[in-house]
Amino acid sequence: MAGAFILGCEGPDLTPDEAAFFRAADPWGFILFARNIDTPDRLRALTTALRDAVGRDAPILVDQEGGRVQRLGPPFWSDWLPPLTAMDRARDPVRAMFLRATLIARELRGVGIDVNCTPTADIAGEGTHPFLFNRLYGRTVEEVATRARANAEGCLQGGVLPVVKHIPGHGRAGADSHLSLPRVDTPRADLEASDFEVFRRLADLPLGMTAHVVYSDIDALPGTISGPVQAVIRDGIGFDGLLMTDDISMGALPGDMASRCAGAIAAGCDVVLHCNGEGRDMEIVAATCPVLQGLALDRADRALQDRRRPVEMDLDAARAELSALVG
């Protein structure tokens, strides 16, 4: 039975030691970064090798948002505008987002990647940290919710599962959670009407990712390891998909690797996401996290059942339409 964690590897080729470790640890899935990307043939060989290591059609994730956060790029894959720039330029932002997400998904599927860590459904505001701001889709609940829905539908039509993030909302955070712990002091009632409401409208999506953010009106711990925040996600927002952590090795979280993993699972996360590919860290993650079972296993199985073949479409016509919409 697969472990309740997702892991990365160090480079563009799977080493024999990594393959042996993955075979023994049996992570639920894998995540790729720029360090893993070379040519399309080499990338297809890597995704095949990862699945061979665990002996099943494991999900393989990537962050392919466009702009600063895109792991695959020229000369083999498209270069995408930052999402907020594209949305601000588009004559029909919802249609543009759907086309963009569909085309990205088709490129990912072509190299064996079947999960994209989008839509990024946080609301852009005056206090949003620059690390996140231009990755977002709009400045109001309606803008973000409708465009995020279009993104998710485009992912699915392109044959890729979407991961809605960062639940229950990262847009008000004024710090970069890769480096330090953001704190949001907004009253809960205001969060319920704005940040949380976006995710409430997307609660039916199959996969979600937490925010390493303290919501001081709810709990003193960051959301990823906070039981009260996880209760908001499950009971208040109504999200019943597979909930993964944001990268468990980021600087926002306190404690060592084992305590972070244990805290996330105890708080209610289904799966721990570990991204840096460092062997010792991954050994700790694998030793600390349980196997998928109970509700977490049910959610994982439901999510994978949503994987589907890409819908046939004229890709050249879609690119031309997107270009006409965005300019």
Side-chain angles (χ1 to χ4, degrees):
M1 190 175 294
F5 49 92
I6 297 166
L7 301 176
C9 57
E10 287 188 340
D13 303 300
L14 192 64
T15 69
D17 286 348
E18 286 175 327
F21 170 69
F22 292 148
R23 189 172 300 112
D26 197 16
W28 181 69
F30 301 96
I31 187 163
L32 302 180
F33 283 81
R35 66 179 185 265
N36 307 120
I37 311 302
D38 187 30
T39 65
D41 286 345
R42 198 172 183 186
L43 182 51
R44 278 188 289 268
L46 176 60
T47 56
T48 298
L50 289 168
R51 292 186 170 110
D52 287 347
V54 294
R56 56 187 163 80
D57 189 16
I60 297 180
L61 294 69
V62 76
D63 293 286
Q64 189 74 352
E65 301 173 7
R68 182 170 54 84
V69 181
Q70 58 177 23
R71 314 306 183 193
L72 291 73
F76 301 110
W77 299 278
S78 302
D79 195 15
W80 302 95
L81 288 171
L84 191 58
T85 300
M87 294 299 93
D88 286 347
R89 289 185 185 182
R91 291 187 288 109
D92 182 345
V94 174
R95 177 64 177 170
M97 180 58 79
F98 172 79
L99 291 169
R100 170 190 173 103
T102 304
L103 290 167
I104 289 173
R106 293 295 292 263
E107 290 191 336
L108 298 181
R109 271 295 294 255
V111 288
I113 298 168
D114 59 1
V115 183
N116 192 9
C117 296
T118 64
T120 310
D122 311 305
I123 299 173
E126 291 182 2
T128 304
H129 192 278
F131 100 93
L132 184 63
F133 184 81
N134 213 26
R135 297 164 56 192
L136 305 184
Y137 300 170
R139 298 166 180 81
T140 68
V141 169
E142 189 65 26
E143 285 178 350
V144 176
T146 55
R147 295 168 188 178
R149 173 66 64 181
N151 177 288
E153 291 175 352
C155 286
L156 291 166
Q157 179 150 321
V160 165
L161 292 177
V163 181
V164 62
K165 62 187 186 185
H166 305 84
I167 303 176
H170 207 308
R172 295 178 188 265
D176 181 350
S177 54
H178 293 85
L179 305 175
S180 59
L181 178 59
R183 178 185 176 94
V184 170
D185 295 321
T186 305
R188 177 170 176 170
D190 293 342
L191 294 171
E192 292 279 1
S194 56
D195 306 60
F196 298 177
E197 176 60 23
V198 173
F199 290 99
R200 196 172 287 118
R201 298 187 191 188
L202 303 167
D204 60 309
L205 294 181
L207 297 162
M209 180 185 292
T210 62
H212 297 334
V213 174
V214 168
Y215 307 91
S216 62
D217 202 21
I218 301 173
D219 193 16
L221 292 174
T224 298
I225 56 174
S226 165
V229 173
Q230 303 272 341
V232 168
I233 293 170
R234 294 301 191 188
D235 302 328
I237 289 172
F239 180 76
D240 194 36
L242 184 80
L243 186 64
M244 68 185 70
T245 71
D246 202 347
D247 180 10
I248 203 72
S249 62
M250 286 165 62
L253 295 180
D256 59 19
M257 187 58 61
S259 64
R260 292 178 181 195
C261 293
I265 296 295
C269 289
D270 297 312
V271 172
V272 166
L273 173 65
H274 182 272
C275 295
N276 65 26
E278 293 181 2
R280 179 55 186 153
D281 271 4
M282 295 195 295
E283 291 173 2
I284 295 170
V285 172
T288 306
C289 295
V291 297
L292 277 168
Q293 55 191 325
L295 287 174
L297 178 59
D298 291 343
R299 292 170 182 141
D301 288 344
R302 287 203 313 267
L304 295 186
Q305 288 168 8
D306 280 346
R307 292 191 293 192
R308 62 193 73 168
R309 294 179 61 83
V311 175
E312 290 299 322
M313 67 182 301
D314 185 331
L315 298 180
D316 288 337
R319 292 187 189 97
E321 183 183 355
L322 179 60
S323 179
L325 286 171
V326 176

